[in-house]
């Protein structure tokens, strides 16, 4: 209890082609979503020298233990610092929680949750993200009385122009214990996501 869990990649599924327009204009507004340019050169313009694992000059193995099938992938899950700070504030202030002024890549407002059963040990969060985003997911912080959930997203740096549309995906979040009578709280709004006043999207 009280720990943070990250939704593993692959634990999400698309709700269909659900798109929610964020812009109120009658036409799609094109916005810059990233910088496609990337500096891959080495100092002085010399081409990079490829070395096999273990070929470090001093004879030591220079293999990066974090390398794997996704090595070189642009996906970067944002820091969880903002979520942890916010979850701690909600735990202290509940139920009189002031909403945050806005979302960010590190902490995104959820569009809601699929109504769960008290015996469930997972929650299906509805994560909204840009249609050109590279990756997205959800985080959870559990206490005896609350289950605080927040979303995150990562823009695709290779996309130069994108529309202002919101895509909603279902992300399954694993819990340490059954939901029971705990309240499911959105980290950004500080509201009960099963309550009538929660501004659910979609």
């Amino acid at each position: 209890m009280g720990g943070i869990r990250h939704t593993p990649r692959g634990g999400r599924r698309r709700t269909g082609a659900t798109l929610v327009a964020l812009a109120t204009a009658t036409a799609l507004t094109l916005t810059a979503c990233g910088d496609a340019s990337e500096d891959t050169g080495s100092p002085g313009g010399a081409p990079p020298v490829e070395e096999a694992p273990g070929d470090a000059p001093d004879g030591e193995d220079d293999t990066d233990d974090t390398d794997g099938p996704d090595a070189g992938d642009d996906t970067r899950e944002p820091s969880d610092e903002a979520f942890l700070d916010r979850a701690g504030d909600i735990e202290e202030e509940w139920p009189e929680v002031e909403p945050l002024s806005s979302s960010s890549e590190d902490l995104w407002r959820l569009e809601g949750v699929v109504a769960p059963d008290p015996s469930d040990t997972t929650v299906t969060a509805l994560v909204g993200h840009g249609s050109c985003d590279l990756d997205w997911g959800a985080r959870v912080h559990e206490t005896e009385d609350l289950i605080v959930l927040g979303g995150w997203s990562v823009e695709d740096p290779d996309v130069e122009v994108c529309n202002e549309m919101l895509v909603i995906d279902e992300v399954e979040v694993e819990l340490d214990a059954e939901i029971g009578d705990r309240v499911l709280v959105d980290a950004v709004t500080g509201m009960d996501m099963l309550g009538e006043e929660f501004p659910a999207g979609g």
Side-chain angles (χ1 to χ4, degrees), residues 18-76:
T18 306
L19 298 177
V20 181
L22 292 181
T24 57
T26 58
L28 295 178
T29 303
L30 298 182
T31 59
C33 290
D35 187 354
S37 62
E38 184 177 0
D39 183 9
T40 57
S42 57
V49 177
E50 296 184 1
E51 294 183 356
D55 288 347
D58 57 3
E60 296 181 359
D61 190 346
D62 62 348
T63 302
D64 186 350
D65 292 336
T66 61
D67 288 348
D70 295 330
D73 193 341
D74 287 330
T75 301
R76 177 192 66 82

Side-chain angles (χ1 to χ4, degrees), residues 157-170:
D158 294 328
V159 176
E160 293 184 331
V161 179
C162 185
N163 57 55
E164 289 190 342
M165 301 294 290
L166 184 72
V167 180
I168 300 176
D169 275 307
E170 293 184 356

Side-chain angles (χ1 to χ4, degrees), residues 121-198:
T121 56
T122 61
V123 175
T124 301
L126 303 181
V127 179
H129 60 89
S131 59
C132 300
D133 283 347
L134 184 66
D135 202 7
W136 55 89
R139 296 187 173 105
V140 61
H141 175 79
E142 302 181 54
T143 73
E144 292 184 359
D145 302 314
L146 306 173
I147 298 174
V148 182
L149 296 150
W152 58 267
S153 64
V154 177
E155 291 184 351
D156 189 339
D158 294 328
V159 176
E160 293 184 331
V161 179
C162 185
N163 57 55
E164 289 190 342
M165 301 294 290
L166 184 72
V167 180
I168 300 176
D169 275 307
E170 293 184 356
V171 176
E172 189 173 88
V173 181
E174 295 183 1
L175 304 176
D176 290 329
E178 294 182 354
I179 295 174
D181 59 358
R182 292 184 291 174
V183 182
L184 299 173
V185 183
D186 171 59
V188 174
T189 63
M191 299 178 66
D192 178 358
M193 286 187 283
L194 295 178
E196 295 181 358
E197 297 182 357
F198 182 73

